[in-house]
Amino acid sequence: MTAKPHLGGRGRRIIIAVAIILAVICVAVLVIYFHPLRPVPPPPPPFPPVTPLPTTPVVPPEVPGPTIVVAASDSSPVSKARADVRCDGTDDQRDIQSAFDALPPSGGTVTLTEGTFNCAGSIYPRTNTMLQGEGPDATYLKFSRNGRLNVSQESVTLYNFYVEGTGYSDTETDRWLGVITLYASHAKVLAVEGTADASTQAVFLLLHDPSIYAPTLKDVEFVNCKAVDTGTYGFLHNAWGTANKVITDVRYENCAAINCGRYGAFNQWVTGFDFAELNDIEGLRVKNCYAEGNLESGFHFEWDPEKRDCILENCISKNNGQKPYPTTPDFKDYFGCGYYAPRGDITFIDCYSEGNSRHGFYATNGGKLYNCVDRGVGAGKTDYRIIQPASFYAAPTRSVAPSLVLENCSSIDSNGYGLQIDLASDVWIRNFHLENPAGIDGKATNLGGSHGGPLANSVINIYASGDRAETLIWARNNENVEYSGQIVSDAAKPFVIEGDRTRKVRIKDMEIVSASLAPYTNGVVLTNTVPAGAVTFENVAVVPGGR
């Protein structure tokens, strides 16, 4: 007779422990199956400031050499007593120019006291000199009859005064200049504010004109400068001729362009800042700058010039595109952007856009945006049949890889699309937040649809929410594109894919939180134009919930 095996106390404890472990595993599997773990979406990007940062007073450079003091006709008796030159209020540019001409060849400073200097002609600072006032609210230079402040020699500093230019003649050359026109390198414009009427092209103009200054124009700095309530461009870069058209190493800090062209305009395309009109631009740095209420774009680069190594950081662009929407489809050149930056190596860091009429950010073929936010694009307009606003727009964008990078960016309360990308390849989008978009024709995004596509070879990670649009993600004719993220909406069709050119689209790790859709379906609508097998799903599901 065979004896039964005898389990000691230790054996029984082992069996009990194994049974408990197996039971825990079974329970965990059942919980995960019936109540899958919901991924926690990453937080939205930090919100940039919506008002300009406090301006730190600028410290002018030390300019070796003597100082000559020039008093205005309406300066105080104390200022006139200490002045070396006293103006009489007529053709004051002659007295200011005589002060510059009296400085030694090594340079020096011309100081303008408080008061108004009436200049019916131009002033030409010499090399290694500084023209300084006693503040933009104290020292005024009023230019008329083609009078300007022309910097055509190197190493000139302009500091601490206000300029105004009006009544320029309509001659072919003169009208294309600025109240302050900078031709030469190594210039500094510090704490200078100004305005102009519509008879000249800009308040501040950086111009390469080889007939005046042949070398490459470089190393120019604007700090604490403003152009306000102008009839023309606030800050403009340009180049004449074909040689040395690249302008390099230009820096802006704490500068503002407000209401440029809003109440009368030099032409129909007046912008706040235009960094590349006919010139190429390289090594541009724009930090803590502000554009608001301008006729066209707040910050602008024209399409054709080359743009290399340009960085805009912590800038704000609000309520630009003040001119009316076009009323016919054959319109020409309506920009209306907070930031218009096509076809270039242009980076935006912590920039904010609000209430701009057409696009918050327009960036293609090399654009990189980090921690940028658009709010309320298309505000103030009602008819979106001709102009369809979008917070972030890119089309076409396919000539470089990556052609567009959006990382930690947000569209909030768009009156049109939150995201519009077409004729595109190699687009990288990570942690894009789309909040409460109104959409166009029921679509909150337009990915490959506006021009027929495709959107190809791209990765889109998006977190979308809102019920104003029927569809939060609309993808048409996508090829080799991967989507992930989360949609929180009770919309009937939160994610729609269509187009007979759809190929190799992967929906992966996508959660749709909805109170109206059937739980544990995938919630993605494929129209009958999508070829069989063109879209695959991995870890995609509707989960109960809602807004």
Side-chain angles (χ1 to χ4, degrees):
M1 185 176 194
T2 304
K4 294 181 178 179
H6 176 72
L7 292 176
R10 183 172 179 273
R12 285 193 295 273
R13 288 193 296 272
I14 292 174
I15 292 174
I16 292 170
V18 170
I20 292 172
I21 292 171
L22 291 174
V24 169
I25 292 174
C26 290
V27 170
V29 169
L30 290 173
V31 168
I32 292 173
Y33 180 79
F34 289 104
H35 300 281
L37 295 175
R38 293 171 59 175
V40 178
F47 216 81
V50 294
T51 57
L53 296 178
T55 300
T56 302
V58 66
V59 178
E62 293 186 5
V63 177
T67 296
I68 297 176
V69 178
V70 180
S73 61
D74 59 350
S75 295
S76 69
V78 173
S79 295
K80 291 181 178 179
R82 68 181 179 90
D84 301 295
V85 178
R86 286 172 283 280
C87 297
D88 61 10
T90 301
D91 286 329
D92 292 339
Q93 79 281 354
R94 295 177 178 175
D95 295 314
I96 298 172
Q97 189 64 53
S98 69
F100 276 109
D101 294 342
L103 292 172
S106 58
T109 299
V110 172
T111 296
L112 306 180
T113 65
E114 88 289 348
T116 299
F117 296 84
N118 297 302
C119 301
S122 296
I123 300 169
Y124 300 87
R126 299 241 311 270
T127 189
N128 296 318
T129 63
M130 177 165 63
L131 177 63
Q132 70 174 8
E134 296 190 357
D137 57 351
T139 301
Y140 302 90
L141 282 81
K142 292 192 173 183
F143 291 96
S144 61
R145 296 173 58 187
N146 285 347
R148 305 176 189 277
L149 185 47
N150 289 322
V151 178
S152 56
Q153 298 191 39
E154 292 185 354
S155 303
V156 170
T157 298
L158 308 178
Y159 171 59
N160 215 30
F161 53 83
Y162 186 93
V163 297
E164 178 181 351
T166 58
Y168 293 95
S169 64
D170 191 18
T171 58
E172 183 59 27
T173 300
D174 286 346
R175 70 186 305 265
W176 299 100
L177 299 176
V179 181
I180 295 177
T181 302
L182 305 171
Y183 299 95
S185 298
H186 314 301
K188 297 180 183 294
V189 185
L190 313 174
V192 176
E193 301 179 10
T195 192
D197 65 12
S199 63
T200 194
Q201 194 180 19
V203 179
F204 300 92
L205 174 63
L206 188 54
L207 174 64
H208 183 259
D209 180 352
S211 68
I212 294 177
Y213 182 82
T216 298
L217 179 51
K218 62 183 179 181
D219 183 27
V220 178
E221 182 175 54
F222 296 87
V223 181
N224 295 4
C225 295
K226 292 181 181 179
V228 180
D229 294 336
T230 77
T232 191
Y233 294 76
F235 299 83
L236 175 66
H237 298 183
N238 210 346
W240 295 351
T242 59
N244 287 340
K245 291 181 63 174
V246 60
I247 297 175
T248 69
D249 302 324
V250 181
R251 301 173 298 281
Y252 288 85
E253 186 168 352
N254 294 322
C255 293
I258 300 172
N259 295 336
C260 296
R262 186 170 182 176
Y263 306 115
F266 174 81
N267 60 30
Q268 60 183 315
W269 302 293
V270 168
T271 64
F273 295 84
D274 183 349
F275 302 116
E277 182 64 17
L278 298 176
N279 60 289
D280 299 329
I281 185 73
E282 183 175 346
L284 174 71
R285 297 294 183 268
V286 183
K287 187 174 182 180
N288 299 342
C289 290
Y290 186 83
E292 181 176 11
N294 299 295
L295 182 70
E296 271 286 5
S297 304
F299 297 88
H300 188 92
F301 301 78
E302 275 294 314
W303 180 277
D304 290 328
E306 296 295 321
K307 286 84 69 174
R308 296 181 291 271
D309 186 24
C310 301
I311 300 176
L312 285 76
E313 182 176 359
N314 204 43
C315 293
I316 297 167
S317 193
K318 299 173 64 175
N319 303 323
N320 299 290
Q322 286 292 320
K323 73 182 184 184
Y325 270 179
T327 56
T328 60
D330 59 349
F331 71 92
K332 180 180 179 181
D333 293 339
Y334 184 97
F335 300 104
C337 296
Y339 305 85
Y340 181 78
R343 210 183 68 82
D345 175 17
I346 304 170
T347 300
F348 299 90
I349 302 171
D350 296 326
C351 289
Y352 178 77
S353 167
E354 180 180 323
N356 296 293
S357 67
R358 187 174 190 182
H359 302 310
F361 295 85
Y362 183 122
T364 67
N365 295 314
K368 295 175 282 292
L369 295 87
Y370 304 98
N371 304 324
C372 293
V373 174
D374 175 77
R375 180 186 288 275
V377 68
K381 310 294 186 182
T382 56
D383 186 350
Y384 302 129
R385 290 174 298 176
I386 304 299
I387 296 294
Q388 298 180 337
S391 291
F392 295 83
Y393 180 93
T397 182
R398 55 193 175 189
S399 63
V400 297
S403 68
L404 178 69
V405 175
L406 298 180
E407 187 170 314
N408 299 328
C409 294
S410 291
S411 166
I412 302 170
D413 297 333
S414 169
N415 290 286
Y417 298 119
L419 188 61
Q420 184 175 4
I421 301 175
D422 198 5
L423 302 174
S425 183
D426 298 285
V427 173
W428 300 352
I429 299 177
R430 187 174 76 85
N431 192 26
F432 183 85
H433 283 250
L434 175 64
E435 300 179 18
N436 193 38
I440 299 291
D441 297 328
K443 304 174 181 69
T445 56
N446 187 330
L447 302 172
S450 54
H451 305 290
L455 168 61
N457 307 318
S458 299
V459 177
I460 298 176
N461 173 239
I462 184 171
Y463 297 84
S465 61
D467 295 322
R468 292 201 291 166
E470 181 184 41
T471 298
L472 275 297
I473 301 176
W474 184 63
R476 181 169 180 254
N477 289 334
N478 283 200
E479 300 176 7
N480 191 30
V481 179
E482 179 177 292
Y483 289 90
S484 64
Q486 182 187 63
I487 300 174
V488 181
S489 176
D490 292 333
K493 300 176 181 179
F495 195 158
V496 174
I497 299 175
E498 66 176 70
D500 57 7
R501 294 166 61 189
T502 302
R503 301 285 188 277
K504 296 182 180 179
V505 174
R506 300 172 300 282
I507 315 299
K508 180 180 180 182
D509 299 327
M510 172 69 74
E511 177 186 71
I512 300 176
V513 182
S514 174
S516 60
L517 299 180
Y520 311 117
T521 59
N522 69 31
V524 180
V525 175
L526 305 184
T527 70
N528 58 12
T529 61
V530 176
V535 181
T536 60
F537 300 90
E538 180 182 341
N539 192 28
V540 180
V542 173
V543 299
R547 294 174 59 80

